[in-house]
Amino acid sequence: MTTCVITSHGGDFFGNDRHLTKLLTGLADYARGCLPADEREPLVKLLAAQQQTEVGTEQTIPAADAGQFAAQLRRIARHRYLRSTKLAEAATLLANAADRAAADGQPWTWRTEAA
């Protein structure tokens, strides 16, 4: 079964973005290589955990954390060793959504669904 994550504060008509969990796991691998060791763990855990999360599970990230994740995701998207345009686009979309959540002072939510 293929699963995806629906994030709030996204760019579609309903204010959501949809990302395959497989893509997020790949993004977690790049985060391990692109970000300093003392900064990356919370983001890596968030991205990698989606592969094992049950369908229907919702997770909320506080606005302050969303702002930090946005900066880290932008660094990953712009990293010179990130060769995949799909991963760079996913990182940028996630960063934009995290920025919007932080700017609104609202929690950023992630919901796992079957694709």
Side-chain angles (χ1 to χ4, degrees):
M1 174 175 67
T2 304
T3 59
C4 64
V5 173
I6 311 296
T7 60
S8 67
H9 297 84
D12 76 356
F13 178 77
F14 299 105
N16 297 315
D17 283 330
R18 179 180 300 265
H19 305 279
L20 292 173
T21 54
K22 187 176 182 180
L23 190 69
L24 296 178
T25 302
L27 198 54
D29 292 338
Y30 273 97
R32 286 183 186 97
C34 296
L35 298 173
D38 59 338
E39 295 177 18
R40 68 178 168 226
E41 260 335 284
L43 179 62
V44 169
K45 284 182 182 179
L46 175 66
L47 294 170
Q50 301 311 312
Q51 192 72 14
Q52 289 85 28
T53 304
E54 290 184 31
V55 172
T57 304
E58 187 167 299
Q59 187 174 9
T60 59
I61 295 127
D65 292 345
Q68 291 176 349
F69 288 154
Q72 292 173 333
L73 287 161
R74 287 196 197 296
R75 286 173 59 191
I76 294 167
R78 295 178 182 143
H79 199 275
R80 64 182 174 170
Y81 292 120
L82 183 63
R83 302 268 186 235
S84 169
T85 55
K86 283 185 179 184
L87 289 175
E89 182 179 303
T92 301
L93 288 172
L94 287 167
N96 291 343
D99 270 340
R100 283 190 285 273
D104 293 345
Q106 298 175 344
W108 188 31
T109 59
W110 290 42
R111 185 177 69 251
T112 305
E113 293 184 356

